[in-house]
Amino acid sequence: MQVSSLNEVKIYSLSCGKSLPEWLSDRKKRALQKKDVDVRRRIELIQDFEMPTVCTTIKVSKDGQYILATGTYKPRVRCYDTYQLSLKFERCLDSEVVTFETLSDDYSKIVFLHNDRYIEFHSQSGFYYKTRIPKFGRDFSYHYPSCDLYFVGASSEVYRLNLEQGRYLNPLQTDAAENNVCDINSVHGLFATGTIEGRVECWDPRTRGRVGVLDCALSSVTADSEINSLPTISALKFNGALTMAVGTSTGQVLLYDLRSDKPLLVKDHQYGLPIKSVHFQDSLDLILSADSRIIKMWNKNSVLGPAPRWCSFLDNLTEELEENPESTVYDDYKFVTKKDLENLGLTHLIGSPFLRAYMHGFFMDIRLYHKVKLMLNPFAYEEYRKDKIRQKIEETRAQRVQLKKLPKVNKELALKLIEEEEEKQKSTWKKKVKSLPNILTDDRFKVMFENPDFQVDEESEEFRLLNPLVSKISEKRKKKLRLLEQQELHGKEEEEEPEGKPSDAESSESSDDEKDWVAEVRKQRRLLQQEEKVKRQEQLREDQQTVLKPQFYEIKAGEEFRSFKDSATKQKLMNKTLEDRLKLEAKNGTLSVSDTTVGSKQLTFTLKKSEQQKKQQEAEKLHRQERKAVRRSAGHLRSRPRRGRPFH
């Protein structure tokens, strides 16, 4: 929090900057406070009231003393004591938290729903128990009279976990494919769940039966709203016994009375983003709705809300506008800034009744403005008249065929895109649908029409096979391209239709081309094969004409050329068996290098034993010889015949 003073009025900013780092020494902190005035005026309202990376969920306990927040990374939960204005404890978790709920009035009983289908229970001392649900959960609610936890998620079933019995009960079967959010009315205990089909299903926990279905998808679509997809339920909240607020994925908030299936009010955030949460502020009778960009606070009776005390005149202006909707405020005045006054030479009027200060400028009479403007520039009317005439001429020219300025690179591709855009505009004008963005005007693809490295090679094999009709279509486009280039050179402003075949003939030819595209592909493939055959024949002819000359290589000094000398020996060696060859290689030594007839080298080696291994082998050999010398034969020992009856 930061405190500033303006016109003897203290302003407390609760979200201005962060606290000083903990690793700073006291001496540096004192020096920084003396040097920086903003740091000296900064107040840390709650100690360490932040999350290292991202805070996902934050809630206040029922007694209002504790603030609990979950975040990542690493997954953790933090508890702050508002009485002590400090961090009470912090616990790290195994996985990220989707949502959590405090079952007690304080922090002593907490339930966490994780993104890996685990449900984790915490007591005052820490972790208590963990269990798992069959499907991934998205939200849950606690029914106090029956001690049941209701879990909704990526399933049509609503799972019930009874905390008194410690077991799962029979789930509630909904008609939806998936359920996003749920809530329980604290007055009469009605359970409601929001589905991805844009419906709200209400269930009675006493009978475990569905009591009503509310279709919110059609109600969220108004005349002013633009919907591109099916609205799903993304937020749900009860207030009292009869009021319910529903948030959709398309950015609308619907306020319902449970006695009617029509919404009392539809509030659009105008951003098209899903509504994250909806809450009721009872003391000020406000509704708070939040998406990923903004938080709106509005009154259910009047969407704009009552005017504050310091600008209560807005209510009078609103009433006047409602009585006379045709008139607008300040139609007879012109808003000018201080720079405009300097250009007009009217800075001396500041402070006089001719100028009324408003925001960052002034309001002045429109007649005075035009009079001064005319005195400064007497020819302003002539310029205005010429601009209007120029606009009229451009409007009439817009109906004609205008000259297209083509880029330097990929001109044929640009011409193709322009033709497709013209056809698209004609079709979209008939259907009254918004046109898609054009590649030529998109900055992400401008390099494709500027850098020569992106030039399309129409002679490549891939291009000819992937575009079977490119030969005929490209001829028409090249003809039109030559016409456009000629018009650019001569500086013509209008494009005349080239003489030739009528449009009907061209359309018939294009339809015929579309029918025989398979034959065109086969034709292109045959042409490619013939071209490849001609290239091979030319290469063979060039090879035959080339005279092979011997090439000589110089041997380094100190080396001996042994390829031809050892060739006869190697030939004899190859006729012998593997055993003979191995014996011969062993006699040659542990390492032998030989050359083949083509100049490559062959290396054969055996592992050399270390001195320690040799000594150990010699010691073992001597030991065996000594044991053999002192060994006594046991052949003279014979077994005597046993007496008595043999034991069977």
Side-chain angles (χ1 to χ4, degrees):
M1 185 177 71
Q2 186 176 4
V3 184
S4 60
S5 179
L6 180 64
N7 296 331
E8 299 181 356
V9 176
K10 288 186 177 182
I11 301 174
Y12 297 88
S13 180
L14 300 179
S15 60
C16 184
K18 295 182 178 181
S19 59
L20 296 178
E22 296 180 357
W23 47 265
L24 282 181
S25 61
D26 295 337
R27 183 175 58 84
K28 290 185 179 181
K29 288 182 180 179
R30 287 193 299 268
L32 189 59
Q33 290 175 358
K34 292 179 181 180
K35 183 179 179 180
D36 195 346
V37 180
D38 295 335
V39 175
R40 186 167 62 250
R41 293 180 178 178
R42 188 175 299 167
I43 301 173
E44 191 172 359
L45 188 61
I46 300 178
Q47 179 187 1
D48 298 331
F49 195 65
E50 61 183 3
M51 197 64 67
T53 306
V54 176
C55 180
T56 57
T57 311
I58 183 169
K59 291 187 179 182
V60 182
S61 61
K62 296 178 178 61
D63 56 5
Q65 182 179 353
Y66 302 99
I67 301 175
L68 293 99
T70 60
T72 185
Y73 173 82
K74 300 178 180 178
R76 68 188 69 200
V77 56
R78 286 185 173 183
C79 180
Y80 300 92
D81 192 345
T82 57
Y83 289 176
Q84 303 296 330
L85 297 178
S86 62
L87 177 65
K88 188 172 183 63
F89 65 84
E90 179 183 9
R91 300 172 186 170
C92 290
L93 306 172
D94 295 336
S95 57
E96 296 182 9
V97 177
V98 178
T99 183
F100 71 95
E101 188 69 37
T102 56
L103 304 184
S104 59
D105 294 339
D106 54 2
Y107 67 91
S108 59
K109 295 181 181 179
I110 313 174
V111 182
F112 296 97
L113 176 61
H114 293 276
N115 59 356
D116 55 356
R117 296 195 290 129
Y118 272 104
I119 305 167
E120 193 170 324
F121 296 87
H122 281 227
S123 63
Q124 187 173 2
S125 58
F127 171 77
Y128 179 75
Y129 183 72
K130 180 187 287 189
T131 185
R132 207 171 190 182
I133 57 177
K135 299 292 184 178
F136 289 96
R138 297 174 182 172
D139 195 8
F140 73 94
S141 297
Y142 181 61
H143 188 246
Y144 282 90
S146 61
C147 297
D148 289 342
L149 283 172
Y150 289 78
F151 294 93
V152 298
S155 174
S156 61
E157 297 179 340
V158 179
Y159 302 105
R160 296 189 303 148
L161 176 61
N162 187 271
L163 301 184
E164 183 180 5
Q165 302 177 18
R167 64 185 182 91
Y168 282 99
L169 304 179
N170 293 331
L172 304 179
Q173 183 64 45
T174 63
D175 294 338
E178 296 179 0
N179 297 276
N180 292 332
V181 291
C182 64
D183 193 22
I184 293 179
N185 194 299
S186 59
V187 179
H188 47 68
L190 183 67
F191 172 74
T193 175
T195 66
I196 62 172
E197 290 84 4
R199 293 191 297 267
V200 176
E201 296 188 9
C202 298
W203 295 72
D204 189 352
R206 298 171 298 180
T207 60
R208 298 184 298 279
R210 185 170 51 208
V211 296
V213 178
L214 187 63
D215 192 354
C216 304
L218 296 177
S219 301
S220 63
V221 180
T222 59
D224 299 332
S225 60
E226 296 182 0
I227 305 300
N228 298 324
S229 60
L230 177 66
T232 63
I233 308 301
S234 59
L236 184 64
K237 190 68 176 179
F238 280 108
N239 183 35
L242 300 175
T243 306
M244 180 180 65
V246 179
T248 63
S249 60
T250 53
Q252 290 83 26
V253 180
L254 294 82
L255 192 64
Y256 281 94
D257 190 312
L258 294 181
R259 295 168 294 185
S260 174
D261 59 347
K262 302 297 181 182
L264 301 176
L265 179 67
V266 178
K267 175 69 175 179
D268 196 345
H269 275 216
Q270 302 294 334
Y271 284 105
L273 300 174
I275 303 298
K276 296 292 184 181
S277 61
V278 180
H279 292 278
F280 291 89
Q281 219 287 337
D282 297 331
S283 60
L284 297 177
D285 196 15
L286 295 177
I287 301 175
L288 286 78
S289 56
D291 56 20
S292 59
R293 182 172 295 183
I294 60 171
I295 298 176
K296 287 195 174 184
M297 296 174 286
W298 43 283
N299 191 288
K300 62 181 179 181
N301 298 322
S302 60
V303 179
L304 294 177
R309 294 181 181 178
W310 52 272
C311 58
S312 57
F313 60 89
L314 290 178
D315 292 334
N316 299 330
L317 292 177
T318 306
E319 293 176 0
E320 292 176 2
L321 291 175
E322 291 176 355
E323 292 175 359
N324 190 10
E326 289 84 7
S327 62
T328 56
V329 185
Y330 300 129
D331 276 346
D332 298 333
Y333 292 89
K334 172 70 175 178
F335 180 80
V336 292
T337 61
K338 191 174 182 179
K339 187 176 181 180
D340 296 336
L341 292 177
E342 292 176 356
N343 297 333
L344 295 174
L346 299 178
T347 55
H348 62 282
L349 295 180
I350 297 176
S352 63
F354 295 100
L355 297 177
R356 184 176 295 274
Y358 183 78
M359 296 178 66
H360 63 283
F362 306 90
F363 275 112
M364 66 180 301
D365 194 287
I366 190 68
R367 295 171 295 179
L368 176 61
Y369 176 79
H370 287 311
K371 187 175 181 179
V372 176
K373 190 76 173 176
L374 184 61
M375 292 174 62
L376 291 176
N377 189 6
F379 303 100
Y381 178 74
E382 292 296 330
E383 295 177 359
Y384 172 77
R385 181 172 175 273
K386 291 180 180 179
D387 292 339
K388 283 293 183 182
I389 294 174
R390 191 180 298 107
Q391 291 178 4
K392 290 291 184 182
I393 294 175
E394 290 178 356
E395 290 178 359
T396 55
R397 286 179 177 177
Q399 300 176 359
R400 307 178 188 177
V401 179
Q402 298 181 353
L403 178 64
K404 307 176 182 63
K405 294 183 179 180
L406 299 177
K408 298 180 181 179
V409 182
N410 289 328
K411 291 185 178 181
E412 296 185 3
L413 177 61
L415 183 60
K416 176 183 177 182
L417 294 174
I418 292 173
E419 293 177 355
E420 293 178 354
E421 184 68 21
E422 291 177 354
E423 296 177 358
K424 191 187 302 181
Q425 289 179 357
K426 293 179 182 179
S427 61
T428 54
W429 180 79
K430 294 179 181 180
K431 299 180 181 179
K432 296 182 180 180
V433 180
K434 290 186 177 180
S435 60
L436 298 175
N438 190 6
I439 297 179
L440 292 173
T441 58
D442 198 337
D443 294 337
R444 298 175 296 177
F445 304 97
K446 65 179 181 180
V447 184
M448 188 170 62
F449 302 100
E450 296 176 357
N451 193 349
D453 295 338
F454 292 94
Q455 179 66 41
V456 177
D457 186 10
E458 297 184 0
E459 300 298 329
S460 61
E461 180 180 355
E462 294 81 2
F463 183 83
R464 294 171 64 179
L465 289 179
L466 292 175
N467 298 269
L469 300 178
V470 72
S471 57
K472 294 183 180 180
I473 297 175
S474 61
E475 290 297 330
K476 302 175 185 177
R477 193 172 290 112
K478 286 179 180 178
K479 190 180 297 183
K480 194 171 183 179
L481 182 62
R482 287 193 296 269
L483 179 62
L484 291 174
E485 290 178 350
Q486 292 175 2
Q487 290 181 355
E488 288 181 359
L489 293 175
H490 291 82
K492 294 182 179 180
E493 295 184 355
E494 298 180 357
E495 178 185 0
E496 298 178 359
E497 184 176 358
E499 296 181 359
K501 298 180 181 179
S503 59
D504 296 338
E506 293 179 358
S507 62
S508 62
E509 288 181 2
S510 62
S511 61
D512 295 338
D513 293 339
E514 293 176 357
K515 293 180 181 178
D516 58 355
W517 67 274
V518 177
E520 187 68 25
V521 171
R522 294 175 179 174
K523 180 180 178 181
Q524 291 291 338
R525 188 167 294 170
R526 287 195 298 269
L527 290 175
L528 289 172
Q529 293 176 356
Q530 293 177 2
E531 292 176 0
E532 187 67 23
K533 185 177 180 180
V534 171
K535 288 181 181 179
R536 288 198 301 267
Q537 292 177 357
E538 292 179 355
Q539 185 68 27
L540 182 61
R541 194 179 301 110
E542 292 178 359
D543 295 341
Q544 291 176 355
Q545 293 177 359
T546 304
V547 179
L548 297 178
K549 298 180 180 180
Q551 296 181 357
F552 299 93
Y553 297 93
E554 184 179 358
I555 302 176
K556 294 182 180 180
E559 293 186 0
E560 182 182 0
F561 183 71
R562 299 178 297 175
S563 297
F564 299 109
K565 182 176 64 176
D566 298 338
S567 59
T569 306
K570 292 176 181 176
Q571 188 66 26
K572 294 179 181 179
L573 183 62
M574 293 300 295
N575 297 330
K576 294 184 178 181
T577 61
L578 178 61
E579 183 179 2
D580 296 337
R581 279 184 285 171
L582 290 176
K583 290 180 179 179
L584 183 60
E585 292 292 339
K587 291 180 181 179
N588 293 335
T590 58
L591 181 64
S592 62
V593 180
S594 58
D595 296 334
T596 61
T597 57
V598 295
S600 60
K601 291 187 176 183
Q602 182 177 354
L603 181 67
T604 306
F605 66 96
T606 57
L607 293 177
K608 185 178 180 181
K609 298 179 181 179
S610 62
E611 295 294 334
Q612 185 178 1
Q613 291 178 350
K614 290 181 178 179
K615 291 180 180 179
Q616 185 177 359
Q617 290 182 357
E618 291 293 335
E620 291 178 356
K621 186 176 182 181
L622 292 174
H623 179 68
R624 286 196 297 270
Q625 291 177 358
E626 291 177 358
R627 295 294 299 174
K628 189 174 183 181
V630 300
R631 187 182 63 180
R632 294 180 298 173
S633 176
H636 62 284
L637 298 176
R638 297 180 182 274
S639 59
R640 296 179 179 179
R642 295 181 180 179
R643 298 178 180 178
R645 297 175 60 186
F647 178 76
H648 295 286

